[in-house]
Amino acid sequence: MSLRAHIAAQIAADGPMRVDTFMAMCLLHPTLGYYTTRPPFGQAGDFITAPEISQMFGEMLGLSLAQCWLDQGQPARFALVEFGPGRGTLMADVLRATRGVPGFVEAAEVMLIEASPALRAVQRETLADHAVRWLDDPTALPDLPIYALANEFFDALPIRQYVRDGGGWRERHVGLEGGRLTFGLGPAQPQPALKDRLADTKDGDLIEERSSAAPIVDGLGQRITAQGGAALIIDYGDWRSLGDTLQAVQDHAPVDPLHDPGAADLTAHVDFEALAAAAPCAHSRLTPQGVFLERLGITARAQQLATSLDGAALEQHIAAHRRLTHPAEMGNLFKVLALYPSAGTPPPGTEA
Ligand code: SAH
């Protein structure tokens, strides 16, 4: 049975399905979900992420975290945590780049948070040279200083969508019409959790809410406050989002999210204000990825790497640098939010 048929049968039995339920089934259904059935990234996959574009991305992030570790007195044991590590490329680049920081890698206990068994297997292979372990519950981090990374993790967490109707909200859901999956709206209802959005929306506006993100950021912030550490959260989105950002991508092109559930990647923009509000520690200003990488010296690093390249490899390297940093490519769409101890300073690259 296809995932589409599965979802249709569930809607026929139980009625219209919430968008977060639909998104969770599409991405992580145990046998038919997008992340559970395939390794989706890279040129050959459906989309490409920053760590797969160039090793420089992980190098810059690793050095920012390592500088935080130095500034915080080099704790002798800490958790180096990555949320949603994909193929494990980012963590591998971080571990390689920080070998030059004496004591950092030795003090690190690498911990990965990954829901997909298929991707865990890829990560095990990519990181075969290191002792790594997987944490099952993203809200329960170990009682250690935490230096954490999350690149394109929060955008994959399911969202609910609501359309403003007077003083209430109509929740958007997935229904069935003549055997086809279609979007529809439930009845208008007051939503106490969305009270503060009544001020900046009007009738017909659509807003998105990602309730599973807050407990994760809360757990992270609690550890950072109690034990020290820092987190770099990179994703696309803005301080506060407005409008429908649910997006399906297959073979590097946008497709209809309802067309072939489980066959396309499904994400939605990250509302960074909601993450910042849920973090019981200090947070940086929201920094465009291009600015963040430039501040960390990506251009000098790019020039250094370029000296040993020529021909097509050199051209690809130059294009990768541009793609990561240029405002018309990923430089502005992607943002960085850092979490750090209230008594500390923002991680390098995210300072105001
Ligand atoms: N950070 C990687 C991959 C981004 S894709 C990169 O930049 O290339 C999103 C990642 O988050 C995948 O590894 C996916 O399997 C994982 N993921 C999605 N939802 C998750 C969840 N609820 N819990 C844990 N991991 C999840």
Side-chain angles (χ1 to χ4, degrees), residues 28 35 41 49 51-52 82 84-86 113-116 119 151-153 156-157:
L28 293 170
Y35 285 122
F41 326 96
T49 56
E52 306 295 333
E82 187 177 354
I113 291 155
E114 175 54 65
S116 154
L119 285 173
N151 186 60
E152 292 210 49
F153 167 73
L157 298 183

Side-chain angles (χ1 to χ4, degrees), residues 27-28 35-36 40-41 47-52 57 82-90 113-116 119 123 135-136 138 150-158 212 216 265 267:
L27 293 178
L28 293 170
Y35 285 122
T36 32
F41 326 96
F47 62 99
I48 188 157
T49 56
E52 306 295 333
F57 184 75
E82 187 177 354
F83 293 86
R87 301 176 49 81
T89 309
L90 173 58
I113 291 155
E114 175 54 65
S116 154
L119 285 173
Q123 292 153 17
L135 304 177
D136 289 321
N151 186 60
E152 292 210 49
F153 167 73
F154 285 99
D155 67 17
L157 298 183
S212 58
I216 297 176
D265 184 43
T267 60

Side-chain angles (χ1 to χ4, degrees), residues 275-332:
L275 299 188
C281 62
H283 65 83
S284 71
R285 293 174 68 149
L286 194 59
T287 308
Q289 173 174 302
V291 172
F292 171 75
L293 294 173
E294 290 296 355
R295 283 179 181 160
L296 291 169
I298 194 172
T299 298
R301 177 64 175 143
Q303 285 163 351
Q304 182 196 26
L305 287 171
T307 58
S308 58
L309 299 171
D310 56 19
L314 179 59
E315 264 168 45
Q316 199 182 9
H317 171 65
I318 292 167
H321 172 249
R322 185 187 149 87
R323 193 154 175 202
L324 290 177
T325 57
H326 197 278
E329 303 222 21
M330 296 174 82
N332 222 11

Side-chain angles (χ1 to χ4, degrees), residues 43-247:
Q43 298 292 359
D46 286 310
F47 62 99
I48 188 157
T49 56
E52 306 295 333
I53 291 172
S54 168
Q55 67 184 68
M56 296 187 291
F57 184 75
E59 291 173 352
M60 297 299 123
L61 266 59
L63 293 175
S64 179
L65 284 188
Q67 187 62 51
C68 292
W69 176 76
L70 290 169
D71 292 344
Q72 293 178 10
Q74 310 181 27
R77 231 186 112 209
F78 69 88
L80 182 57
V81 177
E82 187 177 354
F83 293 86
R87 301 176 49 81
T89 309
L90 173 58
M91 184 56 82
D93 288 337
V94 164
L95 290 167
R96 194 191 63 258
T98 53
R99 272 200 313 239
V101 181
F104 181 81
V105 174
E106 294 70 20
E109 290 185 30
V110 179
M111 301 184 193
L112 307 176
I113 291 155
E114 175 54 65
S116 154
L119 285 173
R120 282 190 185 201
V122 177
Q123 292 153 17
R124 183 174 293 119
E125 220 164 278
T126 309
L127 298 166
D129 294 344
H130 297 273
V132 300
R133 67 181 167 105
W134 286 265
L135 304 177
D136 289 321
D137 181 356
T139 66
L141 299 174
D143 210 5
L144 286 171
I146 306 279
Y147 296 86
L149 296 165
N151 186 60
E152 292 210 49
F153 167 73
F154 285 99
D155 67 17
L157 298 183
I159 52 155
R160 292 170 78 171
Q161 295 185 315
Y162 300 90
V163 174
R164 173 94 184 259
D165 183 345
W169 300 90
R170 300 180 69 184
E171 181 157 11
R172 199 173 184 219
H173 52 228
V174 179
L176 262 182
E177 231 179 80
R180 290 187 49 211
L181 298 177
T182 55
F183 284 114
L185 293 176
Q189 277 173 343
Q191 294 287 349
L194 302 180
K195 210 168 55 210
D196 64 323
R197 296 304 306 262
L198 289 173
D200 73 332
T201 53
K202 56 182 185 335
D203 262 10
D205 280 350
L206 185 151
I207 62 161
E208 298 174 335
E209 189 222 347
R210 186 177 262 121
S211 60
S212 58
I216 297 176
V217 178
D218 180 53
L220 194 51
Q222 280 187 37
R223 284 293 179 273
I224 289 173
T225 291
Q227 295 271 5
L232 295 172
I233 299 170
I234 304 106
D235 226 309
Y236 65 133
D238 228 316
W239 187 242
R240 183 180 270 203
S241 79
L242 182 62
D244 175 17
T245 72
L246 184 68
Q247 158 180 320

